[in-house]
């Protein structure tokens, strides 16, 4: 188990955005937090990535407590926030160099890590172009490249494919799956695309109004409905 939460909760005033969530994530799996807008997915991710303190409950990553051992947690995670965040006034290469420095990658290794990440994300040809001229798909791929420079054990991707056209979306899916295969990285992603979760995730937790209402392998969740050709959408509607 690489990640575990116990009754993880976050309130904003009287509103409970994440409500006593218990999830377990196995090492090397792709785990999807699935649910409609406002379900509490980004709030959960922010707590797991140490950016937002929980109101109650706890979470551990590789045994480190996200509240009390946040430095240790930060060293082993990568994070791509929901909003596009790469700097448009810099080139792709320069964006990566900033992250390599931030992550404390030794000078002697920076060039190689950046080249590897660019190659992995198929961005070599545009590395020296300003990011403001990138498409949404290229920016997303650059951000994923940034987040894997320090070879994290666990990668958090908040709505990685929102705003991407179907071709770019499939490319990002394939690259994520390839990364899990090549490096054994655990991926936790959020999405409101049910078919995306279905094809990409080993395990999903369906979240609604801050609560996990179902969890398991997509095939298993669909099988509980006892209807042929059931989709995750049917699961969501039924529970
Ligand atoms: N900083 C905040 N202050 C107040 N309410 C917030 C804050 N962040 C999120 N919320 C509320 O919490 C709920 C869950 O938000 P969020 O986690 O962003 O959902 P999701 O990512 O699933 O779309 C929403 O109703 C949102 O308005
Ligand atoms: Mg969100």
């Amino acid at each position: 188990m690489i990640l575990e939460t116990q009754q993880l909760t976050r309130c904003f005033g009287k509103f409970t955005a994440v409500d006593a969530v218990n999830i377990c994530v196995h090492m090397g799996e792709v785990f999807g937090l699935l649910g409609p807008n406002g379900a509490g997915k980004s709030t959960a991710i922010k707590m797991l990535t140490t950016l937002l303190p929980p109101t109650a409950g706890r979470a551990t990553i590789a045994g480190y407590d996200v509240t009390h051992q946040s430095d240790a947690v930060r060293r082993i995670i990568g994070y791509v926030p929901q909003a596009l965040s790469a700097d448009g006034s810099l080139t792709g290469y320069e964006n990566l160099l900033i992250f390599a420095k931030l992550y404390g990658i030794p000078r002697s290794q920076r060039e190689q890590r950046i080249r590897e990440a660019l190659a992995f994300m198929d961005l070599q040809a545009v590395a020296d172009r300003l990011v403001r001229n990138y498409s949404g798909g290229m920016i997303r791929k650059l951000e994923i490249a940034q987040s894997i420079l320090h070879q994290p054990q666990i990668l958090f991707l908040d709505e990685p494919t929102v705003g991407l056209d179907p071709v770019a979306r499939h490319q990002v899916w394939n690259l994520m799956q390839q990364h899990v295969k090549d490096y054994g990285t655990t991926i936790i992603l959020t999405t409101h695309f049910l078919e995306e979760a279905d094809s990409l995730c080993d395990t999903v937790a369906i979240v609604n109004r801050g609560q996990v209402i179902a969890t398991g392998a997509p095939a298993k969740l669909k099988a509980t409905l006892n209807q042929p050709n059931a989709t995750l959408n049917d699961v969501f509607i039924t529970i």
Side-chain angles (χ1 to χ4, degrees):
M1 216 62 84
I2 191 162
L3 182 150
E4 262 180 285
T5 72
Q6 285 154 9
Q7 305 288 108
L8 189 66
T9 300
R10 175 68 202 200
C11 303
F12 296 109
K14 285 195 178 129
F15 176 75
T16 305
V18 174
D19 191 359
V21 162
N22 298 311
I23 53 171
C24 291
V25 179
H26 294 95
M27 211 172 276
E29 77 174 335
V30 179
F31 187 97
L33 281 176
L34 181 59
N37 286 331
K41 305 180 297 295
S42 293
T43 305
I45 293 287
K46 284 179 198 156
M47 288 192 280
L48 296 173
T49 51
T50 78
L51 298 172
L52 192 67
T55 309
R58 64 194 291 262
T60 55
I61 296 182
Y64 298 117
D65 187 288
V66 295
T67 307
H68 305 293
Q69 295 169 296
S70 52
D71 285 349
V73 169
R74 285 173 195 175
R75 269 193 281 277
I76 57 169
I77 65 171
Y79 170 53
V80 178
Q82 183 169 347
L84 294 181
S85 57
D87 189 333
S89 66
L90 301 176
T91 66
Y93 179 88
E94 288 165 341
N95 270 283
L96 286 165
L97 186 59
I98 288 176
F99 269 73
K101 290 179 182 177
L102 280 175
Y103 285 136
I105 295 170
R107 186 183 291 269
S108 60
Q109 292 175 27
R110 276 180 211 155
E111 188 65 26
Q112 195 199 340
R113 293 274 187 94
I114 291 173
R115 292 291 155 209
E116 274 173 16
L118 284 168
F120 191 81
M121 287 291 153
D122 196 21
L123 289 169
Q124 299 108 310
V126 295
D128 296 322
R129 264 200 240 162
L130 288 181
V131 167
R132 76 162 74 95
N133 300 320
Y134 280 22
S135 67
M138 284 153 68
I139 295 177
R140 252 322 183 219
K141 287 198 291 177
L142 177 66
E143 291 173 338
I144 297 173
Q146 283 171 182
S147 73
I148 58 175
L149 277 177
H150 61 304
Q151 299 170 334
Q153 289 181 39
I154 181 161
L155 189 55
F156 292 90
L157 303 165
D158 196 354
E159 306 271 7
T161 58
V162 157
L164 303 192
D165 63 55
V167 175
R169 183 178 302 168
H170 278 278
Q171 205 183 10
V172 167
W173 292 3
N174 291 339
L175 288 167
M176 286 191 288
Q177 283 172 320
Q178 193 62 40
H179 202 263
V180 171
K181 224 198 252 160
D182 291 356
Y183 297 90
T185 318
T186 306
I187 292 187
I188 300 198
L189 61 89
T190 75
T191 183
H192 61 265
F193 295 120
L194 297 138
E195 65 356 312
E196 170 163 285
D198 200 348
S199 72
L200 207 53
C201 297
D202 299 303
T203 309
V204 294
I206 300 180
V207 190
N208 197 22
R209 297 185 187 175
Q211 296 182 333
V212 173
I213 53 176
T215 179
K220 212 173 117 197
L221 291 176
K222 289 185 288 186
T224 58
L225 297 186
N226 285 323
Q227 77 188 54
N229 307 320
T231 64
L232 277 183
N233 201 23
D234 300 324
V235 175
F236 188 77
I237 291 164
T238 309
I239 46 178

